[in-house]
Amino acid sequence: MEHDVILAAGSALLLIHTLGVLSAIHAVAGVRTPQGAIAWAVSLVTFPYLALPLYWIFGRDRFQGYLDPLRALTLAGADQRVATVLRTLVSVRAELPAERAADLDVLAQLGGTPFTSGNVPTLLVDGDATFAAIFAAIESAARCCLVQFFIVKDDDLGRRLQALLVRKAAAGVRVYLLYDEIGSHGLPRSYLAPLRAAGVAVSAFHSTHGRRNRFQLNFRNHRKIVVVDGHTAFVGGHNVGDEYLGRGPLGHWRDTHLGLRGPAAQALQLVFAADWHWATGTIPELTWGLAPPPDGPPEGAAAQAVLIYPTGPADDLDRCSMFFHQAVVGARRRVWIASPYFVPDAAVFTALQLAALRGVEVRVLLPEKPDHLMVYLASYSFLAAADRTGIQIYRYQDGFTHQKVVLVDDAVASIGSANLDNRSLRLNFEITAIVVDRSLAAAVHGMLEEDFRRARRAGAADLAQRGWAFRWAVRAARLLDPIL
């Protein structure tokens, strides 16, 4: 009997180590970055008992089955509707400034739709302004309303949204609500039941949907999209929860959203429709084609060029990383980046260093308070290299900053959901609006200047003065970043 137990134990150990080696080979062949492949391979060979389940739950960075919006909708039988939207967008293709056309056109190629003219953006600073604008737009909906958030909570703000969507559905508006199944894991059925009873089409984005994704918990749909009647839209950093109004443990919640009126809303509809099709297998009944808002643009507003830029783990190229890289490479005078997390990949960090060395003012705004400890710790590992090349890193002091904003010179600004970390660069579905216009860039410049006034300059000394335990935690977090 004892011999049998020893033999069984030995066989089990041999099987685990064999699976560890085979999984390490799988990681080397399939993980997107060399750093991530090496980290997983070493872990799987050395500690297969712990690393094996972690790898098969968190290890993959390719999302299987999801297609880019245009291809997904075409294969799903929405050919004519997609063709209508594309004709609309091409008919209002923006003429970009000659000195920036090459830098920006490559982003349009990657994004799948052109920069469009005739858009009127509105900069929305913090939660009160953001949700006042979103709720007012939804209240005005006459035909169709699309709402997509990473997180929806059953709290005061969430219930205000719920009541509004129920009321609009009861009035005959087609209402769709899409949320991420992991980000909104705490959303109870009691929240969803009144929505469905009123006729709201509700679905989770199932990142574990599909045979090859079933055991993966590493992917998220992090997009925040609202589109009303095909002509008014919103993207940015806010989710639906009271903490996004500054009512949480982190205090003042500093975030930024962007309102858009114009044809860019049609490009956002394509992204929502592809996400909805993945979640439900159906194509939503949208307002296809150019439809100007009934009351026209706000008085005195200037129309601007906008590109809707979706990225995600199903991309054939690392499009999110390429966006940040191209934004930095195209900067002549300044590139300012606001992100709650700063763990850039090697290509983006090298571009930031080179930009600073050639005289570009490179500033990065990060929070002083952490909400995700590992990426917060990992950001400290970049301070010394940033100091050596002139990259200026600031820590925001007035609460927590969650905005995802990039400002390039005095001409280009982007606002969306993508952070500058491995999760956004390779694991999350993200959405960004890139605006080419000096007036919006000036507004973003003024907004970020005020944020920097509420921040302190950080550098290598911040890490050096910490205790040894903190410094070792920073090193460990940096090593783990490729597999977070």
Side-chain angles (χ1 to χ4, degrees):
M1 177 66 74
E2 184 178 348
H3 177 267
D4 292 340
V5 171
I6 294 173
L7 181 61
S11 299
L13 289 174
L14 178 61
L15 176 62
I16 290 172
H17 281 273
T18 301
L19 290 174
V21 171
L22 293 175
S23 297
I25 295 171
H26 183 276
V28 170
V31 173
R32 210 178 275 200
T33 66
Q35 299 93 332
I38 291 170
W40 277 118
V42 170
S43 301
L44 287 162
V45 172
T46 309
F47 307 107
Y49 317 101
L50 175 63
L52 265 173
L54 292 176
Y55 176 69
W56 289 106
I57 294 174
F58 298 107
R60 293 227 318 274
D61 57 6
R62 293 283 185 182
F63 192 78
Q64 303 296 323
Y66 185 99
L67 303 171
D68 69 80
L70 300 181
R71 187 178 172 202
L73 296 179
T74 300
L75 292 177
D79 307 63
Q80 293 306 312
R81 285 170 284 183
V82 172
T84 299
V85 174
L86 288 178
R87 284 195 300 269
T88 297
L89 298 179
V90 171
S91 72
V92 291
R93 186 193 299 270
E95 183 175 343
L96 299 171
E99 69 276 12
R100 298 193 181 272
D103 292 337
L104 297 172
D105 276 337
V106 69
L107 294 177
Q109 293 176 41
L110 290 167
T113 57
F115 277 91
T116 58
S117 62
N119 297 286
V120 179
T122 302
L123 186 63
L124 299 168
V125 179
D126 288 344
D128 288 335
T130 294
F131 286 104
I134 289 175
F135 287 177
I138 294 174
E139 191 70 69
S140 72
R143 289 168 291 175
C144 182
C145 181
L146 316 177
V147 179
Q148 176 178 356
F149 285 96
F150 173 57
I151 296 172
V152 177
K153 290 194 172 181
D154 184 15
D155 56 13
D156 180 64
L157 182 62
R159 287 188 287 273
R160 286 168 56 197
L161 175 65
Q162 178 199 52
L164 180 56
L165 297 184
V166 165
R167 187 164 65 251
K168 296 308 296 185
V173 175
R174 299 188 303 276
V175 180
Y176 297 85
L177 174 62
L178 184 64
Y179 58 91
D180 184 78
E181 67 173 341
I182 297 176
S184 299
H185 66 276
L187 193 62
R189 292 181 181 179
S190 60
Y191 181 92
L192 302 175
L195 292 164
R196 292 191 169 112
V200 177
V202 180
S203 179
F205 184 93
H206 302 287
S207 54
T208 57
H209 177 59
R211 181 177 59 84
R212 300 180 68 182
N213 300 314
R214 186 167 301 159
F215 301 109
Q216 285 292 313
L217 298 177
N218 219 16
F219 302 114
R220 313 280 191 274
N221 193 315
H222 195 239
R223 293 168 178 161
K224 304 98 165 78
I225 297 172
V226 175
V227 184
V228 173
D229 289 341
H231 56 61
T232 300
F234 300 86
V235 294
H238 291 88
N239 290 296
V240 180
D242 288 346
E243 66 264 40
Y244 296 90
L245 299 177
R247 302 175 190 165
L250 292 173
H252 173 224
W253 190 279
R254 177 67 191 89
D255 219 328
T256 301
H257 235 70
L258 184 72
L260 289 167
R261 300 179 75 178
Q266 289 287 308
L268 275 168
Q269 283 199 144
L270 289 176
V271 179
F272 179 92
D275 284 353
W276 185 265
H277 181 257
W278 169 264
T280 69
T282 64
I283 302 294
E285 297 180 30
L286 306 181
T287 306
W288 302 97
L290 191 60
D295 54 350
E299 184 177 352
Q304 301 169 2
V306 176
L307 175 68
I308 299 302
Y309 192 81
T311 60
D315 293 347
D316 54 347
L317 300 169
D318 289 336
R319 296 179 189 179
C320 191
S321 177
M322 288 179 172
F323 158 68
F324 281 106
H325 186 277
Q326 190 69 1
V328 175
V329 168
R332 278 76 160 174
R333 292 182 51 216
R334 74 167 62 87
V335 56
W336 291 358
I337 298 173
S339 172
Y341 318 120
F342 183 71
V343 194
D345 61 18
V348 173
F349 190 64
T350 298
L352 287 168
Q353 289 179 301
L354 288 170
L357 288 170
R358 70 172 187 267
V360 174
E361 183 187 38
V362 179
R363 291 191 188 183
V364 180
L365 181 67
L366 304 175
E368 182 74 74
K369 299 178 180 179
D371 70 331
H372 292 293
L373 183 59
M374 293 300 288
V375 288
Y376 174 79
L377 290 170
S379 69
Y380 275 82
S381 66
F382 291 88
L383 292 175
D387 282 356
R388 286 195 296 271
T389 52
I391 298 171
Q392 303 173 40
I393 294 181
Y394 291 80
R395 294 278 183 187
Y396 188 70
Q397 302 295 298
D398 185 18
F400 180 72
T401 178
H402 186 254
Q403 60 183 320
K404 305 94 166 55
V405 177
V406 178
L407 174 66
V408 179
D409 299 333
D410 300 315
V412 181
S414 76
I415 297 168
S417 65
N419 302 307
L420 191 44
D421 68 345
N422 184 60
R423 175 158 291 285
S424 281
L425 294 180
R426 293 184 173 85
L427 299 175
N428 286 349
F429 291 92
E430 306 284 7
I431 191 74
T432 300
I434 304 168
V435 183
V436 184
D437 187 86
R438 288 183 175 273
S439 59
L440 184 76
V444 171
H445 180 273
M447 176 187 75
L448 291 179
E449 270 197 322
E450 178 61 28
D451 290 335
F452 283 119
R453 278 195 288 270
R454 297 170 183 241
R456 67 170 183 85
R457 181 77 180 272
D462 285 65
L463 180 59
Q465 67 189 13
R466 298 277 191 153
W468 66 268
F470 186 91
R471 294 196 301 271
W472 274 104
V474 167
R475 294 185 183 185
R478 179 66 182 275
L479 288 173
L480 289 173
D481 174 68
I483 61 178
L484 290 177

